[in-house]
Amino acid sequence: MTLLDHVFWSSRISREALATGSSFSKSRANAAVAGMLEQGVLEATGEQVATGGRRAETLRLSRNLGVLLGAALGATGLEVGVMTPDLELLAHHSEPADVRDGPARVLSRVRALMREQLAQCGAKVRDVIAIGIGVPGPVDFGLGQLVNPPLMPAWDAYSIRDDLKADFTAPVYVDNDVNVMALGELWRMQRGLQNFLVIKVGTGIGCGIVCHGQVYRGANGSAGDVGHICVDPQGPRCHCGNLGCVEAMAAGPAIARAATEAAESGDSPLLKQMLDQRGALKLQDVAEASRTGDAAANAIVQRSGALVGQMLAAVVNFYNPSHIFIGGGIQKIGPLFLAAVRQSVYHRSLALSTRHLEIQYTPLGERAGLIGAGVLGMQESLQMREAVG
């Protein structure tokens, strides 16, 4: 790892800690830092950290380098933001969107929002260092293209990079949305955890895998597609064509369908009232009903959590992560879903696999995808900078 990588992943770091954490000697590290300060690559923050003796000034990537653009695309919404090289969010905007509208329409909106957000924080297109984008489907990372994405078939092999070149000259990096969320959490923890999972439960279910401090994408970029693990061979048919996938039985649409059935059968007067008022039920409606103590909503949430936990138990036995972070729309439900997941995982997994396992919601919450997109852009830019010397 280069000195610049150390600075980026540490967010803010003293010169002494930078020399200690790198393979450089203290004198060599100090000389390199002095050169990068002079070149405007690094800057002193003015902040200080206690080192046991005198207080040491901290370093960060220079804001004169420019800004990062990030976009987090979901099946039903999108978020765009502008960030500094050390991932401070300068401007951001989120809105509903439907990826089934196709790449041309969705990305045209993304480009427009990126231009608006840049103008809002006084930056120009030429200031953009890199663009990172998370998308809800399997991605060939080298090509930056989606490959047979179940939720967004019109995007198959579409060049997102070429599309964004209409407005931007900065390099564009595309990855699966949950991999990007995992990068965000990895950066937040300054790589303090080496082996963990990030699970996104929304319209679909996916998993970001961090192994030895790196996002693991697999041989073709489809690692972590856990939504299509079967939890009931007699279950409903999934959009992938198979029966009983956990995504078909426990993701947002399945929760909404179960809530609609409970409303129409008279099992939940509250859900029936919501259905009559809103015309259709969504995941957030079930979350709202559950938080008020509605018995039918709680049963739906617990069943979904138990099924996700059943799937995760197999993954935990196989991978033995130290932590599982759960994100996506499911976070709106609160502790009941999390409790159901934990109970199922701990009941079904081997004792050794769960001895020190922690399961919680993603600390970055709704910002995980956007921050992760910034991490993706900056990380790849630093690697490119190192490659060209």
Side-chain angles (χ1 to χ4, degrees), residues 322-358:
S322 66
H323 291 68
I324 296 175
F325 299 106
I326 300 177
I330 204 73
Q331 282 188 269
K332 296 182 176 74
I333 287 178
L336 185 63
F337 177 83
L338 205 55
V341 171
R342 286 172 176 155
Q343 182 178 13
S344 188
V345 170
Y346 294 143
H347 174 69
R348 293 174 178 272
S349 300
L350 297 174
L352 184 59
S353 297
T354 57
R355 182 173 296 170
H356 302 294
L357 176 65
E358 292 188 24

Side-chain angles (χ1 to χ4, degrees), residues 201 205 246 249-252 254-255 283 297-311 330 333 337 340-341 344:
V201 181
I205 297 177
V246 67
M249 298 183 67
I255 291 173
L283 175 61
N298 285 343
I300 293 167
V301 167
Q302 288 173 315
R303 180 173 183 271
S304 175
L307 289 169
V308 170
Q310 179 183 333
M311 173 273 291
I330 204 73
I333 287 178
F337 177 83
V341 171
S344 188

Side-chain angles (χ1 to χ4, degrees), residues 210-223:
V210 173
C211 183
H212 300 307
Q214 301 286 339
V215 170
Y216 178 74
R217 298 183 175 91
N220 302 110
S222 66

Side-chain angles (χ1 to χ4, degrees), residues 224-245:
D225 201 357
V226 297
H228 301 287
I229 291 176
C230 178
V231 290
D232 182 0
Q234 307 303 317
R237 189 169 298 279
C238 179
H239 53 77
C240 74
N242 293 318
L243 297 175
C245 294

Side-chain angles (χ1 to χ4, degrees), residues 134-383:
V135 290
V139 171
D140 182 319
F141 187 70
L143 295 175
Q145 294 179 359
L146 285 142
V147 181
N148 295 323
L151 295 177
M152 44 200 304
W155 295 67
D156 184 30
Y158 186 84
S159 180
I160 296 174
R161 289 174 178 169
D162 288 347
D163 189 295
L164 293 186
K165 281 180 182 176
D167 287 1
F168 301 98
T169 56
V172 178
Y173 303 101
V174 185
D175 203 352
N176 171 264
D177 57 349
V178 200
N179 286 346
V180 168
M181 290 171 65
L183 272 176
E185 294 297 341
L186 188 64
W187 176 83
R188 180 192 64 83
M189 296 179 292
Q190 300 180 11
R191 279 189 165 144
L193 295 181
Q194 293 289 298
N195 302 285
F196 65 88
L197 304 174
V198 174
I199 305 295
K200 183 180 181 182
V201 181
T203 303
I205 297 177
C207 176
I209 304 167
V210 173
C211 183
H212 300 307
Q214 301 286 339
V215 170
Y216 178 74
R217 298 183 175 91
N220 302 110
S222 66
D225 201 357
V226 297
H228 301 287
I229 291 176
C230 178
V231 290
D232 182 0
Q234 307 303 317
R237 189 169 298 279
C238 179
H239 53 77
C240 74
N242 293 318
L243 297 175
C245 294
V246 67
E247 185 170 297
M249 298 183 67
I255 291 173
R257 282 195 303 272
T260 302
E261 290 170 6
E264 293 175 342
S265 68
D267 288 344
S268 172
L270 176 58
L271 289 172
K272 179 65 166 66
Q273 181 183 349
M274 288 179 169
L275 180 60
D276 291 343
Q277 290 175 345
R278 302 168 190 181
L281 293 176
K282 298 180 180 179
L283 175 61
Q284 50 263 42
D285 300 316
V286 184
E288 182 182 334
S290 175
R291 287 195 300 269
T292 66
D294 183 80
N298 285 343
I300 293 167
V301 167
Q302 288 173 315
R303 180 173 183 271
S304 175
L307 289 169
V308 170
Q310 179 183 333
M311 173 273 291
L312 283 176
V315 176
V316 166
N317 284 336
F318 173 76
Y319 182 60
N320 187 209
S322 66
H323 291 68
I324 296 175
F325 299 106
I326 300 177
I330 204 73
Q331 282 188 269
K332 296 182 176 74
I333 287 178
L336 185 63
F337 177 83
L338 205 55
V341 171
R342 286 172 176 155
Q343 182 178 13
S344 188
V345 170
Y346 294 143
H347 174 69
R348 293 174 178 272
S349 300
L350 297 174
L352 184 59
S353 297
T354 57
R355 182 173 296 170
H356 302 294
L357 176 65
E358 292 188 24
I359 303 173
Q360 64 187 78
Y361 285 130
T362 52
L364 285 175
E366 294 180 351
R367 295 281 94 84
L370 188 59
I371 295 299
V375 176
L376 174 65
M378 197 68 232
Q379 174 185 251
E380 296 300 318
S381 294
L382 289 175
Q383 290 179 359

